[in-house]
C-alpha cells in the first residue's frame, strides 16, 4: 500500500500550495478583505490565466511545471512538482544569463511573466519558471520593459551583493534570444528614468 501524503508546500500572498501524491495543487482561497464578487472574479481570472499561459508554455516545451488540470470552480491548478533548488538560494551570473535567455524566449512568444523574482524560479538541471498568476500575452515593448525592470528590482533587493553582475548577465542572455532587444532596453531606460524623476 502506498500512502499519499499531503503537505503544505508554501503559503503565498495569493494561494496555498499543497504537495500531494499527484503533484502540486495551487489553491486560491477566498480573501475576505475583497468584495465577494470581485474576489471570485479575480481568483477565477488568475486561475484561468495561469492555466492558459502554462498550457501554452507546455506546448512550446518551455521549462515550467507541466499542467495536469485546472478547476475554475474550486480555483485550483494541479501541476507537476519540480524537485530542485530555489534560484533565490543559488543565484550566480551564470544563472542570470540563463534567466535572461529564458525571459527572451517568453517575450519572443508574446508572454509577459509579470512577477519575475528568484523565488519564482526553481533550478533542476536548468532554470524552471513558476507562478504565472500575473502573466499575460502582449507584444508591447512597454510590457516587456516593465517585466525586465521588475526583475532588476527583485535582484537589487534580494541579491544586493551580486546584483550588478547578475543583471548584466540577464541582459546579455536576453540579447541572445530576443532579437528586438534594442527597443525593449531603450524602453526600460525610459521606464526607469520615469521612476527616478518621480522622486525629484
Ligand atoms: N510546481 C512546483 N514545484 C515545486 N515547488 C513549487 C511549484 N509551484 C510552486 N512551488 C513552491 O511554492 C511557492 C509559492 O508558489 P507560487 O509562487 O506559485 O505562489 P504565490 O501564491 O504566488 O506565492 P508568492 O506570493 O509567494 O509569490 C514557490 O515559491 C515554490 O517554492
Ligand atoms: Mg510566487
Amino acid at each position: 500500500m502506498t500512502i499519499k501524503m499531503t503537505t503544505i508546500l508554501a503559503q503565498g500572498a495569493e494561494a496555498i500550495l499543497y504537495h500531494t501524491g499527484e503533484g502540486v495543487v495551487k489553491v486560491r482561497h477566498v480573501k475576505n478583505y475583497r468584495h465577494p464578487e470581485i474576489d471570485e472574479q479575480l481568483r477565477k481570472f488568475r486561475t484561468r490565466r495561469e492555466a492558459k499561459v502554462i498550457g501554452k508554455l507546455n506546448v512550446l516545451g518551455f521549462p515550467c511545471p507541466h499542467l495536469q488540470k485546472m478547476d475554475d470552480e474550486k480555483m485550483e491548478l494541479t501541476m507537476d512538482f519540480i524537485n530542485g533548488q530555489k534560484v533565490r538560494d543559488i543565484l550566480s551570473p551564470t544563472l542570470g544569463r540563463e534567466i535572461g535567455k529564458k525571459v527572451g524566449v517568453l517575450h519572443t512568444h508574446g508572454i509577459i511573466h509579470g512577477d519575475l523574482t528568484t523565488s519564482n524560479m526553481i533550478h533542476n538541471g536548468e532554470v524552471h519558471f513558476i507562478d504565472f498568476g500575473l502573466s499575460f500575452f502582449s507584444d508591447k515593448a512597454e510590457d516587456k520593459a516593465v517585466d525586465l525592470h521588475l526583475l532588476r528590482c527583485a535582484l537589487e533587493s534580494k541579491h544586493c551583493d551580486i546584483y550588478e553582475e547578475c543583471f548584466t548577465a540577464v541582459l546579455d542572455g536576453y540579447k541572445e534570444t530576443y532579437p528586438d532587444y534594442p527597443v525593449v532596453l531603450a524602453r526600460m531606460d525610459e521606464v526607469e528614468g520615469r521612476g527616478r524623476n518621480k522622486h525629484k
Side-chain angles (χ1 to χ4, degrees), residues 44-64:
K44 204 179 269 281
F45 180 80
R46 290 194 179 152
T47 302
R48 285 181 179 165
R49 173 59 57 82
E50 186 160 19
K52 194 167 174 191
V53 173
I54 296 179
K56 171 151 187 189
L57 292 173
N58 287 167
V59 172
L60 293 171
F62 186 86
C64 69

Side-chain angles (χ1 to χ4, degrees), residues 46-185:
R46 290 194 179 152
T47 302
R48 285 181 179 165
R49 173 59 57 82
E50 186 160 19
K52 194 167 174 191
V53 173
I54 296 179
K56 171 151 187 189
L57 292 173
N58 287 167
V59 172
L60 293 171
F62 186 86
C64 69
H66 172 258
L67 181 70
Q68 298 175 19
K69 59 180 191 248
M70 188 271 288
D71 184 328
D72 63 3
E73 292 300 320
K74 291 194 199 151
M75 314 294 185
E76 279 183 17
L77 292 179
T78 308
M79 63 192 124
D80 290 357
F81 177 70
I82 300 172
N83 193 4
Q85 288 170 287
K86 286 185 186 172
V87 171
R88 193 186 62 200
D89 299 329
I90 54 165
L91 183 71
S92 63
T94 307
L95 287 184
R97 173 135 171 237
E98 186 183 334
I99 291 164
K101 282 196 203 174
K102 287 177 175 164
V103 176
V105 172
L106 290 181
H107 288 184
T108 300
H109 290 96
I111 295 171
I112 311 301
H113 183 282
D115 193 13
L116 286 172
T117 68
T118 52
S119 298
N120 287 334
M121 300 170 192
I122 301 173
H123 190 264
N124 163 12
E126 64 173 317
V127 175
H128 290 70
F129 287 16
I130 60 167
D131 197 358
F132 291 87
L134 297 177
S135 300
F136 56 101
F137 296 97
S138 165
D139 265 317
K140 289 188 195 149
E142 170 84 11
D143 294 329
K144 294 172 183 178
V146 171
D147 220 17
L148 283 175
H149 169 64
L150 292 178
L151 175 57
R152 183 208 284 280
C153 294
L155 297 187
E156 213 171 345
S157 76
K158 291 280 183 290
H159 304 273
C160 51
D161 45 338
I162 52 167
Y163 138 75
E164 280 189 33
E165 301 94 287
C166 288
F167 195 66
T168 303
V170 165
L171 295 183
D172 288 344
Y174 188 74
K175 289 174 189 169
E176 286 180 48
T177 56
Y178 189 71
D180 252 359
Y181 73 85
V183 183
V184 173
L185 298 192

Side-chain angles (χ1 to χ4, degrees), residues 13-31:
E14 247 226 285
I16 301 186
L17 289 100
Y18 302 90
H19 190 188
T20 75
E22 284 170 341
V24 173
V25 184
K26 180 169 182 172
V27 190
R28 290 186 161 83
H29 292 287
V30 172
K31 294 276 180 207

